[in-house]
Amino acid sequence: MKVLKFGGTSVGSVENMCNVKNIINDGDKKIVVLSAMSGTTNKLVAISQDIKDVNLSEAENKISELQKVYFETIDQLLEDSDLNKSVREYVISIFEDLKACVSKVFSDALENQIVAQGELLSTYMFNSYLNQEGIHSALLPALDFMRIDGNKEPNIDYIKNNIKTVLKENESANIYITQGFICLDANDEVSNLQRGGSDYTATIIGAAIIAEEVQIWTDIDGMHNNDPRYVENTNPISNLSFDEAAELAYFGAKILHPQTVTPVRADNIPVRLKNTMDPIAHGTLISSKTSEGGIKAIAAKDGITAIKIKSARMLQAHGFLKKVFEIFETYETSIDMITTSEVAVSLTIDDDRNLDKILNELEKFALIEVDERQSIVCLVGHSVVNHQDTFKLFQILQDVKIRMISYGGSKNNISLLIDTDDKINTLQKLNDYLFELVTL
Ligand code: ADP
Ligand code: ASP
Ligand code: MG
């Protein structure tokens, strides 16, 4: 069985929902994972921020605006008056719950409850639409089987057992619809897989049922060789290895949640990226196959903080790095890039929630410099470190201030740390000289 995930834009309008219906209605049994309609999760995040800021009338306004969008969508999507009425009742009940949240005291649990509503709405509406169109589908509540453990990792054994049960209970259905993004946590509270998490839901399910293939359907024809939001003349890449895709997703290619590839690579389950608006386009196939060819793609990750930790006696003082790493471990902050010299170590983090505490600890034995608003530019390709293009990099980027470079950590990745203000210029230059065959 295949698992197909459709993102926010794919379910963001009646026209696109119709495209999704045509794509999935090919007679094969499948699991379909849906995101919230585009814009909804952002709105729900903003509503919970208003509640946190005790901006309660603003929260209520946003809830009313969002409810209107759903009523309009239902009226366009569901002509059948009984179905229209029952979906309307469901939507009203969700929005009544949201309105009730406004008078509650803010907590992370409340925020998780609020942001979960988007996927509940889109799947309920879409499943009813399929029923109207005579398609035999069943709605499988993700909260019946999707769960993370105390380390926020998917609880694979639980997921495997529970998904098996729900599939069995709905054996006669041809298409299973479920929510992306949402899950239960180790305490049975509603939680989620972080922003963009529906991709991750799809590959977790793919691994749990040992799917034939996982397909991620979105609004673009696959993984491009550079970020199309900032760079002109990017092109889709037809094949990527699991390693290459994992690096690109982790280092900022927004088309994939950072963890998308993790669940499926061990079982060699291919992941295909496809365009809902242009289903004939090849897209990108992510598999264990590797191909030579130098730098294949570039991604950038913003919101990076660089920390330089300087000790007069670093090399002599053995145990220095251990001490440094232990501090980051204590504050559950992972390190992305690291470089060392005789007197200093520079490293980067993307989660600065505990930055002050980390700096306090480091300052007890070292001199510290911090640079915020940094970006990691990541260049990916099979054996990229050995390719001739790689040696042109410094020439191409001679007018960009490179703060750190990571080369050789993996054969498939070279990372550069730059100021975020230089990001677009850097990405465009790399694109022009590496992919557009402009000569230096
Ligand atoms: P969905 O809502 O379907 O999950 P996303 O917005 O999360 O879609 O991801 C698709 C978007 O990712 C594209 O519209 C594109 O703007 C952006 N994107 C960023 N980097 C890349 C890349 N390297 N290749 C393709 N798309 C990218
Ligand atoms: N709806 C969630 C988000 O916007 C999950 C997803 O779309 O993948 O982040
Ligand atoms: Mg996404």
Side-chain angles (χ1 to χ4, degrees):
M1 192 156 57
K2 288 183 183 161
V3 179
L4 281 71
K5 174 258 169 175
F6 292 87
T9 317
S10 305
V11 292
S13 68
V14 170
E15 190 189 343
N16 289 347
M17 284 192 228
C18 178
N19 289 337
V20 174
K21 179 203 73 181
N22 293 335
I23 291 165
I24 63 178
N25 192 22
D26 59 3
D28 290 348
K29 219 172 167 82
K30 56 178 68 69
I31 299 181
V32 173
V33 175
L34 300 184
S35 294
M37 291 178 77
S38 54
T40 295
T41 311
N42 284 348
K43 233 342 174 328
L44 294 171
V45 168
I47 289 165
S48 77
Q49 187 63 42
D50 286 336
I51 297 173
K52 189 175 183 181
D53 299 340
V54 204
N55 231 333
L56 303 185
S57 59
E58 191 43 49
E60 274 163 0
N61 289 342
K62 289 195 177 101
I63 293 171
S64 303
E65 276 168 29
L66 194 58
Q67 184 168 14
K68 250 203 214 146
V69 172
Y70 279 87
F71 283 158
E72 283 165 17
T73 310
I74 298 169
D75 286 343
Q76 288 174 44
L77 192 67
L78 300 164
E79 292 138 14
D80 178 308
S81 61
D82 286 344
L83 264 180
N84 185 307
K85 192 162 163 262
S86 77
V87 177
R88 194 170 257 268
E89 275 162 16
Y90 179 78
V91 170
I92 289 171
S93 76
I94 294 266
F95 278 90
E96 285 309 310
D97 288 350
L98 280 173
K99 283 173 199 159
C101 289
V102 176
S103 53
K104 293 186 183 156
V105 178
F106 179 84
S107 65
D108 290 344
L110 186 72
E111 172 162 26
N112 286 344
Q113 275 286 353
I114 292 172
V115 300
Q117 304 308 312
E119 273 69 13
L120 294 172
L121 285 162
S122 63
T123 48
Y124 194 94
M125 276 184 347
F126 188 72
N127 185 53
S128 305
Y129 169 58
L130 291 185
N131 292 165
Q132 170 183 276
E133 302 299 305
I135 296 168
H136 190 184
S137 62
L139 186 56
L140 309 183
L143 299 183
D144 286 353
F145 59 86
M146 191 55 75
R147 190 180 200 156
I148 49 173
D149 62 21
N151 296 321
K152 301 200 161 101
E153 299 287 341
N155 184 337
I156 279 289
D157 290 335
Y158 176 94
I159 296 166
K160 267 187 184 162
N161 283 333
N162 283 264
I163 201 163
K164 215 195 255 167
T165 311
V166 292
L167 287 172
K168 202 151 200 162
E169 283 166 4
N170 294 280
E171 214 162 15
S172 62
N174 202 33
I175 295 180
Y176 301 103
I177 307 289
T178 192
Q179 298 87 22
F181 181 58
I182 64 174
C183 60
L184 290 180
D185 67 12
N187 304 316
D188 280 342
E189 303 266 9
V190 174
S191 185
N192 61 65
L193 302 173
Q194 310 295 322
R195 296 304 307 270
S198 301
D199 303 330
Y200 196 21
T201 302
T203 52
I204 293 169
I205 295 176
I209 64 159
I210 311 284
E212 180 192 330
E213 178 172 292
V214 176
Q215 298 181 351
I216 311 269
W217 289 80
T218 181
D219 55 7
I220 191 164
D221 48 356
M223 176 76 81
H224 278 219
N225 55 1
N226 208 328
D227 195 323
R229 292 169 300 172
Y230 307 113
V231 176
E232 285 169 20
N233 301 326
T234 64
N235 289 301
I237 309 166
S238 37
N239 290 281
L240 280 173
S241 68
F242 286 123
D243 287 344
E244 291 165 343
E247 301 269 16
L248 288 168
Y250 185 75
F251 285 107
K254 190 196 171 229
I255 186 171
L256 290 180
H257 179 281
Q259 299 298 336
T260 306
V261 173
T262 315
V264 287
R265 69 203 295 181
D267 290 310
N268 215 345
I269 299 168
V271 179
R272 205 180 280 278
L273 313 183
K274 296 282 289 176
N275 188 351
T276 306
M277 276 51 86
D278 184 9
I280 291 163
H282 177 275
T284 300
L285 177 63
I286 303 169
S287 70
S288 56
K289 233 176 77 191
T290 54
S291 56
E292 304 294 330
I295 297 167
K296 253 191 195 173
I298 300 165
K301 181 168 163 179
D302 295 336
I304 305 292
T305 302
I307 307 169
K308 186 196 258 180
I309 305 157
K310 213 167 162 187
S311 154
R313 296 179 54 245
M314 181 180 150
L315 277 194
Q316 291 92 324
H318 88 129
F320 178 81
L321 284 177
K322 180 165 180 255
K323 228 156 116 186
V324 169
F325 289 143
E326 272 170 0
I327 292 169
F328 286 86
E329 197 187 320
T330 306
Y331 293 103
E332 294 180 354
T333 301
S334 59
I335 295 167
D336 282 332
M337 277 176 84
I338 176 156
T339 57
T340 61
S341 79
E342 208 231 320
V343 291
V345 48
S346 281
L347 47 80
T348 70
I349 58 172
D350 67 355
D351 172 1
D352 61 3
R353 278 174 301 179
N354 288 317
L355 183 61
D356 287 347
K357 290 178 198 143
I358 291 170
L359 296 181
N360 259 338
E361 299 278 341
L362 292 171
E363 273 161 358
K364 291 180 187 159
F365 59 91
L367 291 170
I368 308 297
E369 277 173 39
V370 177
D371 286 320
E372 286 170 321
R373 274 187 59 75
Q374 304 287 300
S375 295
I376 294 177
V377 171
C378 169
L379 303 121
V380 167
H382 180 62
S383 276
V384 76
V385 293
N386 301 321
H387 197 269
Q388 60 189 23
D389 278 355
T390 304
F391 306 109
K392 291 197 270 179
L393 287 180
F394 285 112
Q395 229 179 324
I396 296 170
L397 299 178
Q398 53 187 299
D399 63 344
V400 177
K401 198 177 137 225
I402 300 174
R403 167 86 169 68
M404 278 168 72
I405 177 158
S406 168
Y407 174 96
S410 112
K411 275 194 317 199
N412 305 317
N413 168 350
I414 296 166
S415 300
L416 312 169
L417 186 73
I418 56 167
D419 204 285
T420 300
D421 290 337
D422 293 332
K423 181 183 79 170
I424 295 178
N425 177 32
T426 303
L427 292 179
Q428 189 68 59
K429 275 221 161 79
L430 290 169
N431 211 65
D432 294 346
Y433 289 103
L434 294 173
F435 305 140
E436 291 295 305
L437 302 178
V438 177
T439 44
L440 285 162

